[in-house]
Amino acid sequence: MAIDLPTQVLDALAHANGPILSAEIFPSESFATVKSALDRLNSREMVLYKTIERDEAILTEEAQGIVEYGSHEAKVFEAVRSAVEGLKVSDLPGMVGKETAKVGQGKALAGKWIKLDREKNLLKANTENIVDITREQLKTIERTKTYPDTKVIGDLKKRKLLKMQKAITFEVSKGPKYAREFVKEETDLTAEMLARFVETGFWNFDALFVPQQHPARDLQDTFYISDPLRADKPGPDPAAGKGDAKLDYEQFWNDIREVHENGKFGSIGYRYPWKEDEALRLVLRTHTTSTSTYMLHKLAANPRPARYFSVDRVFRNETVDATHLAEFHQVEGVIADFGLTLGGLIGFMEVFFGKMGIHRLRFKPAYNPYTEPSMEIFGFHEGLNKWVEIGNSGMFRPEMLESMGLPKEMRVYGWGLSLERPTMINFGNARGLQPNGARSARIALSTPPTSFESQKSLVNQDEWSSSRWGCSISQAQQSEQERGRAVESLESFPALLDALDVMQSSYFEVWQGIWPNAIDWTAAVVGTHVSASLSSITRSDWYSAEVTVDTGPATPHDVTIPENLINKYFSHTLSFYYGEHAFALRGQAFDDMLWVVLGWLESIKFVNLHSDLHYKSSEDANASSVWYAKQFIPAFAHRARVFYDLASKGWDTSLCGGGMIWSPYLAPYKNAITNQLYISASVSMYLNFPGDYNSSPFITTTKDSRDGKLRPAMPRDPKYLEAAVKGYNWLVSSNMTNGKGLFVDGFHIKDWRGDSRNGSTGSGQCDVRDEQVYTYNQGVILSGLRGLWEATGALSYLEDGHKLIRNVIAATGWGVKDTEDRRKWAGIGRNGILEETCDAKGFCSQDGQTFKGIFFHHMTAFCAALPIGDANQAPFSASTLLASVHENSCQEYGPWIRHNAEAAYRTRDSKGRFGTWWTYGLWHDNAAPDKIETDVPDQGTDYRNCGVPKDRLWRLAHDRAEPLTADIVPEPDFTSSVHQNQFWDPNARGRGRTVETQSGGVAVLRALHGVADIGRG
């Protein structure tokens, strides 16, 4: 009998002198198998392990041919050498093929393997023997997945002989309870348990029309069984009697395959190669619908009206919180009959939940692979003061039922819910239903109330807010307990309007058209937040829906209130257009210019959205039907175009093979933010730029100008999309992410001396990496990835975006169990909250105070609902499945967004102004900030908060003696009496509360409203 993997791991550690690498010890085992074994051992503290991610070079098909048959240049050499008198250049393609001749001739000449007699146009051998260097390099890479000389990797990538991919291995060491023997515990699965809870992928997924690529089948959502890995194909049950013998299981199996691969029974299917092995994998069942499927198939032997009902245990690989468990009991029902309708299902659900005392229900259209139409069922939770999903329902699809052999006319209701959910609504937290000491309870994060004086701002909302949202008492009169509930049940949309009102009334000067205390680039960002918030307002229910009064019928909505608010804030945007320091910005760094581009494109998007939603088409003959703001789009477009053209000069191929330079006034530095801005701005220009026919000569040095005037710029110009794709390809190949999957700040060029008399480009490579991590470096690229998907339809861009968001969430310490560990720096925050390294000690500059809001703005843009349709050109649209997967993925981030929004909300002062250090509001006590550690990387430079260093790496020769350029804020004296006061306000330190910190509050509340609460940006 083969030794199981956990025992092999223990044996390997016994013979090793230290930690082992799983990829070296178990090279043939899959990632899932190894991780399952390590998790099993780690849960008993027998081993410890950490994940190591590395880049691996993989040979392309062309490279594999070179390994087997030799390189292009080697083939050319052999052909030339075999021709004793020389080989005519024109004859070479006939000897070796056109592609080999094209590539190999130049490289063979460069390597001096052959020479060219120009008079006779003959190629002749220049040596007797050669070493096929390319082939040997590729052999090494094929064996080791890397190469010692990174330049070789770069050259082979340029020749498209290599592609890079991430590889994950585990470093395993002995744990506190290490032992050679692996003893099976009572909590391990037994045969009896397997009979109840283990199902094949066929019954759990495939027979339910769930595609084999569906996210529900991923490891992070489903528990797979490692031994045995697979089951037999479905067949008659000998104990079931003659009825089961009537069923044709082979036909059922083939019909399921056909439905998935090509479509059948009126369906076009998913059109992918369906794999038997995947269907036969064993899983801990994720729903009892697998049993319902089995029972409905049996019903096909004698089709008739039937009802099936079950309560049983199911398993989901989920993070445990107040409304989710990894193991729960599912209540499920199935009703099969003729003539059933969706209305009947809704009525049945109302009666069903009413019997349990839940009378406030909502039904939301949803997507399920096996039901159409489908509905999510929500019940109102009085304790949490919000709507909680309590069930799913729908009518089973014909592809599913007819594959089983049921009559075409038969309809089947299906619904399912967690037993714990309705119980939770009546009695409280889902975790409270677990036995005392349940292991799952320790995963939850608590959000204790804070005690310092500034937290009174939670309840001191102004009269505008109170009257508008129907508050009957002053919130300042609430008790401490009621204040905590106010944040717990934070209503995102009213809070967003309040935050926006405070930002504009406290910080914006209409007569100047600016936020006077903002600097040029942060003003551009704040303007972007205003336009994005207006987009959220114009498509809100508050703007367009009828108001339902509890005591009477619906009354018409007074649209003048929200429309007046829209026009008020748009007038601020228009005022800012004239107040913005446009001429000064043209002489600043390239990233500063690109913030301007994104800001005015955001304004164009809002104007078009508001006009399309609430006014007639601009093509309408009646001019009064067009929203007046449309007339300003050409001006906004012109400014975006001018600044995009100026910023594009920052693209540089002389160093690092490409990429944007941050500033022309400093030593070359290719940083993440400038490149991400270039990508996002480029693709937004492609998708949202309406064209520019203004020839005003604000710039005259670009290729788009002539006679001192600008040439017209066309919408959907492919050059913008090409720039975005080129920029992203460079960024992902630049090695600008750290071990946590976060973008570090950027690269210098080793030994660059371009500003000296005998200027030198040094290494010419991006080889001095600055490890500093900022939150906005993780955000801007998200809107670019969303735009690249819309422009190309390539799914990989969405996948990259979701991966980055999950990396960010993990690096805030989200899900950390231990109270003390939650206080520790996790990479880009702590306690599940986004944080800058300057926040805790209060020395953030205007730059640093702006960053978190930028992240949430671009995350919201990324998570906007995908348009559904069949468009096969830009802007592309998504299938119903893809749109649902994207929405569900984004809604998974909802609890984390709410956690951050509530933390930010706790920092408000009595005037409703947000602070910058969100984390402090969720500590158990008033821990002194000077005692709170932040892990600043050794090879990182916090130049955004501490200024640009005056050294050769950063500065040009003529300004190394100049003052630092950043708005430096000294670290506070924590020994002063002010800081010893238990009620002191940590967000009053340094620059205090500013328009930049307020914009962060606006952005995170907009994310809460747009992603977490209603699932759209």
Side-chain angles (χ1 to χ4, degrees):
M1 178 179 173
I3 301 175
D4 63 3
L5 194 56
T7 302
Q8 293 181 51
V9 172
L10 298 174
D11 287 344
L13 284 170
H15 294 95
N17 294 324
I20 61 174
L21 291 177
S22 61
E24 296 177 358
I25 307 299
F26 310 110
S28 60
E29 297 289 352
S30 69
F31 169 85
T33 302
V34 173
K35 189 174 188 307
S36 175
L38 295 179
D39 285 340
R40 199 172 176 189
L41 293 169
N42 180 254
S43 68
R44 304 179 189 181
E45 299 183 336
M46 298 180 74
V47 305
L48 304 174
Y49 75 90
K50 63 181 179 180
T51 304
I52 299 176
E53 188 175 287
R54 62 183 181 185
D55 291 320
E56 287 191 346
I58 304 299
L59 271 58
T60 63
E61 187 176 348
E62 180 183 357
Q64 292 170 357
I66 290 175
V67 168
E68 189 168 356
Y69 303 110
S71 66
H72 297 298
E73 51 268 36
K75 292 177 182 178
V76 168
F77 170 76
E78 292 299 336
V80 171
R81 188 177 65 169
S82 65
V84 179
E85 300 299 325
L87 183 65
K88 288 184 178 181
V89 174
S90 58
D91 292 339
L92 182 60
M95 295 283 291
V96 298
K98 289 184 179 180
E99 185 63 24
T100 296
K102 177 182 176 181
V103 176
Q105 179 180 324
K107 291 196 171 292
L109 286 168
K112 297 184 179 180
W113 294 356
I114 61 175
K115 59 186 177 181
L116 175 62
D117 185 336
R118 296 187 180 277
E119 292 184 2
K120 298 180 181 179
N121 204 26
L122 286 176
L123 294 168
K124 295 183 179 179
N126 204 32
T127 182
E128 285 298 317
N129 297 294
I130 62 166
V131 175
D132 192 344
I133 299 172
T134 301
R135 186 182 191 183
E136 296 305 314
Q137 290 170 341
L138 291 173
K139 283 183 176 179
T140 300
I141 293 170
E142 184 180 41
R143 185 176 66 256
T144 64
K145 309 299 183 188
T146 188
Y147 199 79
D149 188 346
T150 56
K151 188 175 184 301
V152 170
I153 294 285
D155 290 342
L156 293 174
K157 282 172 61 181
K158 289 178 183 177
R159 292 180 64 180
K160 297 183 178 179
L161 297 177
L162 296 180
K163 56 184 178 182
M164 305 303 293
Q165 70 176 27
K166 294 287 185 184
I168 297 177
T169 187
F170 302 103
E171 183 181 280
V172 188
S173 57
K174 294 178 180 178
K177 298 182 181 179
Y178 170 81
R180 287 290 299 272
E181 185 180 2
F182 181 67
V183 180
K184 191 180 83 65
E185 296 180 351
E186 291 303 318
T187 54
D188 287 342
L189 290 175
T190 65
E192 292 76 16
M193 295 172 72
L194 291 175
R196 293 182 58 188
F197 301 135
V198 173
E199 193 54 88
T200 64
F202 178 81
W203 291 110
N204 200 77
F205 296 121
D206 295 272
L208 287 164
F209 203 46
V210 179
Q212 293 183 341
Q213 301 88 353
H214 195 280
R217 302 176 78 147
D218 290 345
L219 277 171
Q220 62 263 33
D221 293 308
T222 301
F223 293 112
Y224 283 91
I225 305 302
S226 59
D227 185 18
L229 283 172
R230 290 176 178 81
D232 295 331
K233 289 170 65 173
D237 181 357
K242 296 181 179 179
D244 203 48
K246 294 180 181 179
L247 298 171
D248 189 340
Y249 281 89
E250 188 64 29
Q251 183 63 44
F252 183 33
W253 176 270
N254 292 333
D255 282 344
I256 293 297
R257 177 200 295 275
E258 186 69 16
V259 164
H260 280 255
E261 289 190 336
N262 304 307
K264 197 173 182 180
F265 308 114
S267 168
I268 64 171
Y270 290 118
R271 301 183 179 182
Y272 72 96
W274 186 76
K275 298 178 181 178
E276 288 192 3
D277 282 351
E278 183 68 23
L280 296 177
R281 290 181 72 181
L282 288 167
V283 302
L284 284 179
R285 66 180 179 199
T286 61
H287 49 189
T288 53
T289 317
S290 58
T291 304
S292 298
T293 309
Y294 182 71
M295 296 304 296
L296 286 171
H297 181 239
K298 285 182 173 294
L299 183 64
N302 181 21
R304 65 196 184 280
R307 298 181 181 186
Y308 300 105
F309 192 82
S310 71
V311 181
D312 212 340
R313 194 183 303 180
V314 296
F315 307 87
R316 302 276 176 86
N317 196 354
E318 289 191 354
T319 299
V320 176
D321 59 27
T323 60
H324 293 82
L325 297 170
E327 172 184 333
F328 57 93
H329 292 82
Q330 182 170 339
V331 179
E332 175 154 343
V334 170
I335 297 177
D337 207 337
F338 300 91
L340 299 179
T341 66
L342 182 65
L345 175 59
I346 293 174
F348 181 85
M349 290 288 97
E350 290 173 340
V351 173
F352 181 84
F353 284 104
K355 295 287 187 180
M356 291 187 280
I358 302 173
H359 301 285
R360 296 181 65 182
L361 295 180
R362 283 181 178 175
F363 299 91
K364 174 186 173 184
Y367 169 79
N368 292 319
Y370 44 90
T371 57
E372 182 63 33
S374 307
M375 300 181 300
E376 291 173 347
I377 309 166
F378 290 80
F380 191 76
H381 190 301
E382 299 291 346
L384 296 177
N385 194 29
K386 67 177 182 178
W387 291 92
V388 176
E389 184 186 351
I390 57 174
N392 208 329
S393 64
M395 302 185 71
F396 284 119
R397 298 175 68 103
E399 301 98 314
M400 174 185 164
L401 300 177
E402 293 183 48
S403 295
M404 296 173 175
L406 289 169
K408 188 173 184 179
E409 299 78 16
M410 178 166 275
R411 302 287 182 266
V412 180
Y413 293 155
W415 72 92
L417 58 137
S418 158
L419 176 64
E420 287 79 1
R421 282 293 181 90
T423 310
M424 173 197 70
I425 289 180
N426 282 329
F427 301 107
N429 191 312
R431 288 171 302 186
L433 300 174
Q434 295 291 312
N436 291 335
R439 184 179 303 173
S440 58
R442 64 186 181 183
I443 301 177
L445 289 176
S446 62
T447 55
T450 56
S451 57
F452 53 82
E453 187 67 23
S454 68
Q455 297 315 305
K456 292 180 180 178
S457 64
L458 293 176
V459 297
N460 292 338
Q461 300 203 18
D462 55 28
E463 288 302 313
W464 182 90
S465 169
S466 297
S467 62
R468 188 164 298 259
W469 302 111
C471 299
S472 57
I473 62 169
S474 168
Q475 289 188 336
Q477 300 170 347
Q478 291 177 313
S479 67
E480 290 291 335
Q481 183 178 6
E482 288 169 330
R483 286 180 202 167
R485 190 181 305 124
V487 176
E488 236 178 75
S489 59
L490 176 62
E491 291 289 339
S492 57
F493 189 68
L496 170 61
L497 290 186
D498 281 348
L500 181 62
D501 177 68
V502 171
M503 184 170 77
Q504 295 305 95
S505 62
S506 299
Y507 299 105
F508 188 73
E509 291 292 347
V510 177
W511 70 278
Q512 291 178 284
I514 56 173
W515 299 268
N517 293 321
I519 54 180
D520 291 340
W521 85 265
T522 65
V525 171
V526 174
T528 306
H529 289 314
V530 172
S531 294
S533 297
L534 289 177
S535 293
S536 294
I537 293 170
T538 193
R539 60 184 165 211
S540 68
D541 293 340
W542 178 65
Y543 186 98
S544 57
E546 290 187 334
V547 178
T548 302
V549 182
D550 290 342
T551 57
T555 58
H557 185 66
D558 185 358
V559 78
T560 60
I561 295 175
E563 182 65 9
N564 188 51
L565 196 67
I566 289 278
N567 285 311
K568 171 187 174 181
Y569 292 133
F570 179 72
S571 70
H572 292 185
T573 297
L574 191 58
S575 178
F576 177 54
Y577 175 80
Y578 296 103
E580 186 174 40
H581 300 154
F583 284 93
L585 275 159
R586 292 208 307 273
Q588 295 181 21
F590 296 122
D591 63 335
D592 298 326
M593 301 176 191
L594 290 166
W595 293 116
V596 176
V597 178
L598 288 179
W600 293 111
L601 291 175
E602 190 71 41
S603 298
I604 291 171
K605 286 162 61 179
F606 158 66
V607 171
N608 285 326
L609 175 66
H610 187 65
S611 186
D612 291 346
L613 287 176
H614 307 297
Y615 290 81
K616 294 181 181 178
S617 167
S618 59
E619 285 78 20
D620 194 287
N622 181 6
S624 65
S625 65
V626 180
W627 190 39
Y628 79 96
K630 296 275 280 189
Q631 66 185 311
F632 298 109
I633 285 181
F636 298 166
H638 183 63
R639 182 163 295 177
R641 182 264 183 104
V642 166
F643 276 90
Y644 180 84
D645 287 350
L646 283 169
S648 297
K649 296 178 183 178
W651 183 263
D652 164 71
T653 57
S654 66
L655 302 170
C656 312
M660 287 286 290
I661 289 175
W662 172 37
S663 171
Y665 310 112
L666 296 168
Y669 184 52
K670 300 202 171 183
N671 60 351
I673 195 59
T674 309
N675 282 279
Q676 292 184 15
L677 282 165
Y678 182 63
I679 295 162
S680 293
S682 295
V683 75
S684 189
M685 286 289 288
Y686 178 71
L687 292 170
N688 303 306
F689 177 61
D692 178 29
Y693 308 96
N694 185 342
S695 61
S696 297
F698 292 154
I699 53 173
T700 59
T701 58
T702 71
K703 61 184 179 181
D704 288 333
S705 62
R706 59 186 174 192
D707 303 326
K709 295 183 178 181
L710 286 176
R711 299 174 183 175
M714 298 296 109
R716 291 288 161 85
D717 190 328
K719 74 177 184 181
Y720 298 126
L721 178 56
E722 290 169 7
V725 172
K726 174 181 66 177
Y728 187 64
N729 288 341
W730 181 86
L731 181 67
V732 295
S733 64
S734 66
N735 188 33
M736 213 178 288
T737 52
N738 63 18
K740 294 180 181 293
L742 304 176
F743 282 97
V744 298
D745 195 70
F747 280 101
H748 300 279
I749 288 79
K750 185 179 181 182
D751 298 328
W752 183 86
R753 300 291 184 271
D755 58 344
S756 63
R757 181 176 299 176
N758 301 313
S760 167
T761 59
S763 68
Q765 300 297 317
C766 284
D767 46 13
V768 180
R769 193 168 91 168
D770 194 293
E771 300 293 331
Q772 181 69 30
V773 175
Y774 295 114
T775 59
Y776 76 155
N777 282 342
Q778 324 309 319
V780 172
I781 192 60
L782 294 173
S783 63
L785 290 167
R786 167 56 187 258
L788 281 167
W789 172 79
E790 282 192 45
T792 66
L795 185 60
S796 61
Y797 294 121
L798 293 180
E799 292 172 339
D800 287 356
H802 283 294
K803 180 179 179 182
L804 177 57
I805 292 172
R806 291 185 175 112
N807 289 342
V808 169
I809 292 173
T812 63
W814 181 246
V816 172
K817 311 171 189 66
D818 182 74
T819 301
E820 286 304 314
D821 286 345
R822 294 209 306 270
R823 297 187 176 201
K824 295 178 181 177
W825 188 253
I828 198 166
R830 68 187 99 222
N831 203 14
I833 302 169
L834 212 57
E835 185 178 324
E836 296 297 335
T837 55
C838 61
D839 282 345
K841 296 188 177 180
F843 64 92
C844 294
S845 68
Q846 285 179 274
D847 292 6
Q849 288 187 329
T850 315
F851 290 166
K852 294 192 291 294
I854 291 171
F855 173 85
F856 279 105
H857 167 77
H858 290 273
M859 180 184 183
T860 306
F862 176 80
C863 277
L866 302 183
I868 298 175
D870 56 2
N872 56 8
Q873 60 184 4
F876 281 79
S877 56
S879 66
T880 304
L881 173 61
L882 176 58
S884 177
V885 169
H886 177 70
E887 179 183 6
N888 290 340
S889 295
C890 285
Q891 288 187 345
E892 286 177 9
Y893 315 141
W896 179 79
I897 295 173
R898 175 165 286 277
H899 186 59
N900 278 263
E902 291 174 353
Y905 199 73
R906 282 181 164 90
T907 68
R908 298 181 313 144
D909 65 7
S910 60
K911 297 179 181 179
R913 299 177 301 182
F914 282 76
T916 191
W917 187 23
W918 300 350
T919 316
Y920 194 78
L922 292 182
W923 294 79
H924 284 289
D925 51 47
N926 291 322
D930 61 327
K931 306 298 184 185
I932 298 171
E933 295 299 325
T934 301
D935 184 15
V936 179
D938 294 336
Q939 295 178 326
T941 308
D942 189 6
Y943 65 101
R944 287 297 193 181
N945 294 296
C946 302
V948 177
K950 296 181 290 185
D951 59 26
R952 178 171 287 176
L953 192 64
W954 288 88
R955 300 249 185 175
L956 300 176
H958 67 84
D959 76 341
R960 288 182 195 138
E962 291 183 1
L964 302 182
T965 60
D967 174 20
I968 305 304
V969 179
E971 292 190 21
D973 177 12
F974 294 106
T975 64
S976 69
S977 59
V978 173
H979 294 103
Q980 294 300 313
N981 188 321
Q982 64 173 325
F983 295 120
W984 76 284
D985 180 358
N987 280 295
R989 299 169 300 157
R991 299 193 71 251
R993 291 174 171 83
T994 64
V995 65
E996 288 86 7
T997 64
Q998 191 69 20
S999 72
V1002 169
V1004 72
L1005 288 171
R1006 199 172 77 84
L1008 177 63
H1009 173 66
V1011 180
D1013 285 358
I1014 61 175
R1016 66 185 186 195

